[in-house]
Amino acid sequence: GSGLSKPVKGFIADVIDHINDSGSTVVAIDIPTGMYADSRSDMDGTILKADYTLSFQFPKYAFLFPENEKYVGTWEILPIGLHPDFINAVDVKNYIVTKPDILESLITRQKFSHKGTYGHSLLIAGGYGKMGASVLASRACLRSGVGLLTTHVPVKGYEILQTTIPEAMVSIDPSEEYFSEHPDLSPYNAIGVGPGIGTSDETANAVKVLIQNTGLPILFDADAINILGENRTWISFVPKNSIFTPHPKEFERITENTSSEFDRIELQREFSIKNGVHVVLKGANTSVSCPDGSVYFNTTGNPGMAVAGSGDVLTGIILGMLAQGYTPKEAAIMGVYLHGLAGDY
């Protein structure tokens, strides 16, 4: 049950060990015995290793973290008829994102709309040897429905972009091989920076100037996050409601190392509150933290997406949705869901 308050030891622990060693298919009801529902499980105790967990009405918080996969197995939620008024009255800060949530927020495209209706994105991505990141992010941005896309690349990336993605306009950096200077920002209503740009001193300075010269929320990914990790004092100047899309190691670079996923989520929540930004911490059940302290856990995606380039595609999708008029919160949550859904298809 979910009321456990201390590690399981003694006779019950011996029973759990016997079950774990039995080789049988194991089904846990409500929660695997020995696991805490809302905090890090005490590794001094014994925990049942279930193949399947059948829980009630809503998943337990603990089900969403990778260190518990070996205990929870595949989980399914069984409705037990909790009253909607009760459910809606409960004050919570953690949410599961499902298909109805996404459908509720989708903007319907009108018959007489045109490319100017759906925004103009600026994507700053790619460098010598890493133009693939720019191609993947650009293509995803266009597929997500943006009206216009301009991709800013170094000189050596010009022909690659014009050849592979003819729908995108290309802004050419003064540098042959890396991002050194942003273009005029006035035409754009969404800005993304980072995939494949590298972390040279010139590029770092260009990211700093970009932050100083726009009031728009910026989508920071990949090397842009690594640059901010090396220059943490710049984070306080990032426009409010910007979006960070780190994988766990990149997240450590802008915060600190943690000993568990529970600690990492709380650190993610604190980072969003302190800096007034949204953080998309990538992985299974990707978590999106918001400036109000809420965290949204994704339900789409699969291990086949654990491959180079997946993050570049996510950046493009979120950037495209920002340009179309979704709020940064909506763009982050919906972008993650649709990205995972595309991977599932």
Side-chain angles (χ1 to χ4, degrees):
S2 57
L4 185 72
S5 60
K6 60 184 179 180
V8 174
K9 297 185 178 181
F11 172 70
I12 298 299
D14 292 340
V15 173
I16 293 173
D17 285 335
H18 177 72
I19 294 172
N20 288 344
D21 294 338
S22 69
S24 300
T25 297
V26 178
V27 180
I29 304 299
D30 190 31
I31 190 170
T33 303
M35 175 179 287
Y36 297 157
D38 298 309
S39 61
R40 180 180 179 183
S41 295
D42 194 316
M43 294 300 106
D44 291 336
T46 302
I47 303 174
L48 185 76
K49 294 180 180 179
D51 298 287
Y52 302 95
T53 297
L54 306 180
S55 199
F56 304 124
Q57 201 71 48
F58 297 101
K60 304 294 189 290
Y61 189 48
F63 294 179
L64 304 174
F65 299 99
E67 61 242 52
N68 291 333
E69 181 182 11
K70 60 185 176 182
Y71 306 117
V72 178
T74 300
W75 53 268
E76 295 288 343
I77 302 302
L78 309 177
I80 56 173
L82 290 184
H83 199 284
D85 290 348
F86 167 76
I87 293 172
N88 293 331
V90 177
D91 184 23
V92 297
K93 59 182 179 179
N94 301 314
Y95 300 86
I96 287 281
V97 180
T98 58
K99 184 177 180 179
D101 302 314
I102 301 304
L103 292 176
E104 190 176 273
S105 301
L106 275 177
I107 297 172
T108 301
R109 295 172 79 92
Q110 301 300 315
K111 176 180 178 180
F112 290 100
S113 60
H114 51 82
K115 63 185 178 184
T117 307
Y118 300 111
H120 191 171
S121 292
L122 171 65
L123 173 65
I124 300 171
Y128 187 68
K130 295 183 178 180
M131 284 307 301
S134 180
V135 171
L136 288 166
S138 297
R139 187 169 287 151
C141 186
L142 287 159
R143 291 285 185 91
S144 72
V146 70
L148 295 163
L149 169 66
T150 296
T151 302
H152 183 82
V153 298
V155 174
K156 289 186 177 180
Y158 169 73
E159 291 185 359
I160 295 172
L161 257 292
Q162 290 279 261
T163 303
T164 57
I165 311 174
E167 305 99 318
M169 294 174 283
V170 180
S171 167
I172 305 171
D173 195 275
S175 169
E176 288 279 325
E177 298 186 354
Y178 52 79
F179 169 46
S180 67
E181 182 181 303
H182 69 71
D184 174 21
L185 301 177
S186 60
Y188 310 109
N189 60 325
I191 300 172
V193 60
I197 63 173
T199 58
S200 68
D201 291 342
E202 294 85 355
T203 298
N205 185 65
V207 170
K208 179 182 180 182
V209 173
L210 175 67
I211 293 170
Q212 295 170 336
N213 287 352
T214 181
L216 289 175
I218 301 172
L219 171 56
F220 295 95
D221 183 40
D223 285 328
I225 295 174
N226 293 330
I227 287 170
L228 290 175
E230 295 173 357
N231 302 275
R232 293 192 184 185
T233 57
W234 299 358
I235 296 175
S236 61
F237 298 99
V238 166
K240 299 303 179 185
N241 282 311
S242 289
I243 302 173
F244 289 71
T245 58
H247 58 57
K249 184 59 67 174
E250 289 167 345
F251 182 67
E252 285 182 10
R253 291 170 188 148
I254 55 174
T255 54
E256 61 188 63
N257 191 13
T258 54
S259 59
S260 75
E261 293 293 330
F262 280 93
D263 294 338
R264 181 178 289 150
I265 288 294
E266 292 311 307
L267 187 61
Q268 177 187 355
R269 196 190 313 270
E270 293 168 9
F271 185 90
S272 287
I273 295 170
K274 176 183 177 181
N275 298 292
V277 298
H278 303 270
V279 177
V280 177
L281 187 53
K282 295 181 285 194
N285 299 125
T286 292
S287 54
V288 179
S289 56
C290 305
D292 63 2
S294 59
V295 177
Y296 293 79
F297 291 89
N298 189 47
T299 53
T300 59
N302 60 82
M305 299 173 70
V307 63
S310 286
D312 303 319
V313 171
L314 177 62
T315 293
I317 294 173
I318 296 175
L319 180 62
M321 302 192 79
L322 278 175
Q324 292 173 71
Y326 291 97
T327 66
K329 178 179 179 179
E330 290 171 336
I333 294 171
M334 295 175 69
V336 167
Y337 184 92
L338 295 171
H339 178 250
L341 187 62
D344 289 339
Y345 278 126

